[in-house]
Amino acid sequence: MSGSRNNRAYVVWAAGVCAYLVAVTQRTTFGVAGIEATERFSATASQLAVFTVVQLLVYATLQIPVGVLVDRWGPRALIVTGALLMMLGQLQLAFADSVGAGIAGRLLVGAGDATTFISVLRLLPAWFDPRRIPVLTQWTGIIGQLGQIVSVVPFVAVLSTFGWTSAFLAASSLSLLAFVLALTLIRDSPHRDSEGVLPTLRQTGVSLAEAWRQPGTRLGLWSHFTIQFPGTVFVLMWGYPYLVSAEGVAEGAASALMTLFVAVGIVCGPVLGRYVARHPLRRSTMVLAIAGVITAGWLSVLLHPGPAPYWLLALLVVALAVGGPGSMIAFDFARTFNPSTRVGTATGIVNIGGFTASLVSMYIIGVVLDLLVASGFSAGRLYSLASFRLALSTQLVFLAFGVGAMLVVRRRVRRQLAAQGVIVPPIRQAVARERARRSRERARRRHPEPPV
């Protein structure tokens, strides 16, 4: 790749990453405005949950159609369209004064968000050497998640100082910026005559069926389902109200915990990427370990007598944050178990998992909170600590279900690998081999062979 083309490639990628960062910002703004939304719309907890459930439902539903459309129209068109939809959605929400009007705005945000991540990833193969793509994929996710900091620091500051309308107008202007940058800087390919090819309906159906039949795709789906949703539910909907109203954490300290969530994701992403590269046969083991850490984190906080200390809440946030970069392992399953011709479809299937779990879980939490208030359990207080503990504990059911599904599908994947001559050794044997390898390396460093 020449120097000028290399520079151009990074400009295109930077514009795409900017669009994704803005998309994450728009995705997470409502989560930190939950208390204000309750007052503005006079909404119950279940009604409030519908805002984000609709957003994520649209996002999840559009994943496979977006994969097809990006082949036809190219990533630039979808990134531009997504930025425009999110701008209109936040503009609608800024002036909404009813639950229905607010939900309409979040529906537009969800549709725009759905087009962005897959489209940005599709830019990489056209502009970069294949050896760079795994690293750039990790950095795309890491930089994009900085949008959460935008929503919990400057957005919260504008919301607290200037109010609802000004805050969401400011958020809308970010999507306008992303729209302009994408329109002017992004090109689908360095080759001007490059055009997308629209697959036939039959070809799309066959590709979808083959991707689903592949056990590795389903292992990615359940991996994403299991460890992506706890952090998403926390950041997008219930984390901020839980910290401020139930645990009694100050707003500034709650914003700091949300920022910690992003920081941990940034640190863990490259570490998990290197682990996957070195131990490709142990990817599911890492996912299961992360699921165990998340479960332990929630149990420690939910079972703590009285409000949890700040340090324990920080450990919970760290555990939830690891699930974000950990869920990227799911896309590696999609990539390695499918041919390149259907990786996009498989990626769409995998991406549905975590967001489906998120939208169902966060809605159930809202329903449980309302039922507890109606029953008099929380003495009429919607966001009491006791109510939140019972409502948030429903996530443990989803974690258990996801782990069970992973274990079932993983056995099928390993049988498939065994048929191909690839044997996954027991974990004890693998650990023993790794220790022996490291011991040999240390011995060679201490006693290098003499030159011949």
Side-chain angles (χ1 to χ4, degrees), residues 80 113 140 149 205 236 251 309 311 320 341 358 394 397 407 426 428:
V80 168
D113 186 13
T140 298
I149 295 180
L236 261 63
E251 290 187 358
W311 65 266
L320 296 174
T341 53
S358 298
T394 59
V397 177
L407 293 174
R428 292 180 180 177

Side-chain angles (χ1 to χ4, degrees), residues 109-374:
V109 170
D113 186 13
T115 69
T116 307
F117 181 63
I118 291 178
S119 300
V120 174
L121 291 187
R122 287 296 302 273
L123 287 170
L124 299 180
W127 284 95
F128 291 96
D129 185 278
R131 292 171 297 180
R132 298 185 182 183
I133 293 175
V135 175
L136 290 173
T137 299
Q138 282 288 340
W139 279 109
T140 298
I142 290 171
I143 297 173
Q145 294 311 307
L146 293 175
Q148 296 178 36
I149 295 180
V150 177
S151 65
V152 301
V153 180
F155 178 81
V156 167
V158 175
L159 182 65
S160 301
T161 305
F162 300 103
W164 179 277
T165 299
S166 296
F168 281 95
L169 283 176
S172 180
S173 68
L174 290 178
S175 282
L176 176 61
L177 173 62
F179 172 85
V180 172
L181 290 176
L183 192 64
T184 56
L185 297 179
I186 293 179
R187 294 295 180 270
D188 293 335
S189 168
H191 308 294
R192 294 181 180 274
D193 58 349
S194 175
E195 294 184 358
V197 178
L198 178 64
T200 66
L201 184 60
R202 182 178 182 277
Q203 289 172 330
T204 301
V206 169
S207 178
L208 178 60
E210 290 178 345
W212 175 254
R213 282 196 297 266
Q214 169 56 248
T217 302
R218 299 200 300 277
L219 181 58
L221 168 71
W222 292 117
S223 298
H224 200 256
F225 177 102
T226 304
I227 64 174
Q228 191 262 7
F229 89 88
T232 300
V233 169
F234 192 85
V235 172
L236 261 63
M237 188 72 220
W238 294 118
Y240 198 83
Y242 167 67
L243 292 172
V244 174
S245 294
E247 292 287 356
V249 176
E251 290 187 358
S255 294
L257 287 175
M258 293 295 190
T259 303
L260 174 64
F261 183 97
V262 179
V264 171
I266 292 173
V267 172
C268 288
V271 174
L272 290 175
R274 287 194 294 269
Y275 172 88
V276 168
R278 293 177 180 176
H279 309 285
L281 296 179
R282 297 295 170 188
R283 293 173 292 183
S284 61
T285 302
M286 176 57 73
V287 173
L288 292 170
I290 293 172
V293 169
I294 293 172
T295 302
W298 268 124
L299 286 174
S300 298
V301 170
L302 296 177
L303 296 177
H304 189 276
Y310 193 81
W311 65 266
L312 187 56
L313 293 173
L315 289 179
L316 171 64
V317 169
V318 169
L320 296 174
V322 176
S327 68
M328 296 294 285
I329 298 173
F331 298 110
D332 204 57
F333 288 127
R335 178 182 63 85
T336 56
F337 283 99
N338 288 275
S340 59
T341 53
R342 64 168 188 255
V343 166
T345 301
T347 300
I349 292 173
V350 167
N351 208 25
I352 288 173
F355 288 99
T356 300
S358 298
L359 67 91
V360 175
S361 177
M362 66 177 58
Y363 182 70
I364 288 177
I365 290 170
V367 170
V368 172
L369 287 172
D370 282 343
L371 290 175
L372 292 173
V373 169

Side-chain angles (χ1 to χ4, degrees), residues 218-219 402-413 415:
R218 299 200 300 277
L219 181 58
V403 167
M406 273 191 66
L407 293 174
V408 170
V409 178
R410 187 172 73 163
R411 284 196 293 268
R412 297 175 184 174
V413 170
R415 285 199 297 267

